[in-house]
Amino acid sequence: LLRERGLLRTGDREKRPDTETLKSLRLFLQDRERERIVLHRRFSRYWQALARAEIWPRLSGTLTEGRRQRYVPLKRYSDEETRAACNTLAAKFSKGLAHHQAVTRHALMLFDNLTSLHELTGQDRLLLEWAGILHDIGWLSGTTRHNSRSARIIFTDESLPFDMNDRIMVGLIAEAHRGRVRIESHSLFHLLSPENQNRVLRLAALLRIADGLDFRHTGAALEIHALTGNAEITLSVSATTDISEEKIRARSRGDLFARVFERNLVIA
């Protein structure tokens, strides 16, 4: 219609708007507008019917509890076998092994020192350990956004004997170990149950601090002890050398910790 109306009004008939064409286009437009209204009403009724049938919670449950065949372990793996699979994959980035081990050690010390705060289980401790072992595997393709690449590897690598639920949780924990926390906006986060979402946030908060305490990859931090207060958590960290920079980095990553546990983080 716009093109037809825009033709020059000259004595040359070929350059003038054709009234029959305009009339036909208007009729066609009206027909399509009526059809759109019918389709929209039909779809709205269908959408409302799906909501009444609670299809969306059921679909979400299918995605997290139903397993993609390729991700179903052929047998039940022991914790030690799963740990070995994580270490084998992490070993592909051999330069990062010492850092992986240091961060995992720090994360587990934090977990053990703060059990009364996070109220998580032994299974959660395993998830944190696996995320610590694998959190920097994305360095295989460079440093920029390596945390997101680490998560993608965890989500997809079939050598890891995780079911879908654990795979999502470990990947999200690993991705959140650095940078601005966007974990709650991740599409896979919303496939988890509210309980598992809460577990992921708590474990990710611990891994962020653990990674900060070894951000120079020196392994200098040795022991971590925690004092729990009503308003703050004080961490006492012993080390072989000066780790002032590591403490600063760990404090800067305490944002998620403060939000999840509603305590300020102090590192002595």
Side-chain angles (χ1 to χ4, degrees), residues 62-76:
T62 299
L63 291 170
T64 54
E65 296 168 12
R67 309 300 196 236
R68 276 185 59 182
Q69 186 61 38
R70 64 186 298 191
Y71 287 153
V72 177
L74 298 178
K75 66 173 185 175
R76 182 175 179 82

Side-chain angles (χ1 to χ4, degrees), residues 19 22-23 41 55 62 87 91 112 138 151 155 158 183 252 254:
T19 55
L22 289 174
K23 182 179 179 180
R41 288 174 179 169
I55 190 66
T62 299
N87 282 321
D112 294 339
F155 293 149
E158 295 180 37
I183 189 170
S252 71

Side-chain angles (χ1 to χ4, degrees), residues 102 105-106 109 213-214 218-224 237-241 243 246:
R105 186 174 66 252
H106 298 158
M109 280 191 282
L213 289 173
D214 194 53
T218 63
L222 297 179
E223 295 289 334
I224 303 173
V237 186
S238 61
T240 56
T241 60
I243 57 168
E246 283 83 351

Side-chain angles (χ1 to χ4, degrees), residues 66-125:
R67 309 300 196 236
R68 276 185 59 182
Q69 186 61 38
R70 64 186 298 191
Y71 287 153
V72 177
L74 298 178
K75 66 173 185 175
R76 182 175 179 82
Y77 286 79
S78 68
D79 296 340
E80 191 55 46
E81 288 172 320
T82 303
R83 183 179 295 110
C86 292
N87 282 321
T88 298
L89 179 57
K92 292 183 178 181
F93 177 48
S94 57
K95 293 181 180 179
L97 280 178
H99 175 63
H100 289 160
Q101 293 166 359
V103 170
T104 303
R105 186 174 66 252
H106 298 158
L108 296 181
M109 280 191 282
L110 286 169
F111 185 97
D112 294 339
N113 274 271
L114 296 170
T115 53
S116 62
L117 179 67
H118 58 63
E119 299 180 331
L120 296 171
T121 67
Q123 180 60 33
D124 297 312
R125 192 179 190 275

Side-chain angles (χ1 to χ4, degrees), residues 19-265:
T19 55
E20 292 300 318
T21 300
L22 289 174
K23 182 179 179 180
S24 299
L25 289 172
R26 290 193 191 98
L27 287 172
F28 179 69
L29 177 60
Q30 291 170 4
D31 177 78
R32 292 300 84 204
E33 287 175 339
R34 283 194 297 268
E35 181 69 8
R36 179 190 178 280
I37 292 171
V38 171
L39 290 174
H40 182 264
R41 288 174 179 169
R42 186 182 303 165
F43 177 77
S44 295
R45 289 194 296 269
Y46 178 62
W47 187 271
Q48 291 164 7
L50 292 177
R52 288 193 297 271
E54 298 184 345
I55 190 66
W56 308 123
R58 288 164 50 200
L59 178 60
S60 178
T62 299
L63 291 170
T64 54
E65 296 168 12
R67 309 300 196 236
R68 276 185 59 182
Q69 186 61 38
R70 64 186 298 191
Y71 287 153
V72 177
L74 298 178
K75 66 173 185 175
R76 182 175 179 82
Y77 286 79
S78 68
D79 296 340
E80 191 55 46
E81 288 172 320
T82 303
R83 183 179 295 110
C86 292
N87 282 321
T88 298
L89 179 57
K92 292 183 178 181
F93 177 48
S94 57
K95 293 181 180 179
L97 280 178
H99 175 63
H100 289 160
Q101 293 166 359
V103 170
T104 303
R105 186 174 66 252
H106 298 158
L108 296 181
M109 280 191 282
L110 286 169
F111 185 97
D112 294 339
N113 274 271
L114 296 170
T115 53
S116 62
L117 179 67
H118 58 63
E119 299 180 331
L120 296 171
T121 67
Q123 180 60 33
D124 297 312
R125 192 179 190 275
L126 287 171
L127 295 176
L128 179 61
E129 179 181 359
W130 299 335
I133 294 171
L134 296 168
H135 78 283
D136 266 357
I137 189 63
W139 273 58
L140 284 168
S141 302
T143 60
T144 303
R145 295 186 59 80
H146 70 271
N147 56 320
S148 295
R149 287 196 301 277
S150 295
R152 285 197 294 272
I153 291 172
I154 295 169
F155 293 149
T156 59
D157 194 289
E158 295 180 37
S159 69
L160 297 172
F162 297 145
D163 65 18
M164 282 297 289
N165 210 51
D166 287 351
R167 188 178 291 273
I168 290 173
M169 294 176 72
V170 172
L172 291 175
I173 294 165
E175 179 162 4
H177 81 267
R178 67 182 297 274
R180 294 180 60 188
V181 182
R182 300 183 179 90
I183 189 170
E184 289 152 298
S185 63
H186 197 290
S187 57
L188 293 181
F189 182 81
H190 300 286
L191 297 182
L192 299 173
S193 67
E195 178 186 356
N196 286 340
Q197 290 177 355
N198 184 53
R199 293 166 68 196
V200 166
L201 290 171
R202 290 174 178 242
L203 294 172
L206 300 181
L207 187 63
R208 283 175 66 80
I209 297 168
D211 186 70
L213 289 173
D214 194 53
F215 93 97
R216 290 189 299 174
H217 296 205
T218 63
L222 297 179
E223 295 289 334
I224 303 173
H225 299 282
L227 179 63
T228 304
N230 292 329
E232 62 185 27
I233 303 295
T234 302
L235 301 182
S236 176
V237 186
S238 61
T240 56
T241 60
D242 177 46
I243 57 168
S244 299
E245 292 185 48
E246 283 83 351
K247 290 180 179 179
I248 292 172
R249 186 59 61 94
R251 288 190 201 101
S252 71
R253 296 189 184 177
D255 50 351
L256 181 59
F257 184 95
R259 177 159 57 88
V260 170
F261 296 115
E262 300 181 340
R263 302 282 202 290
N264 292 322
L265 181 66

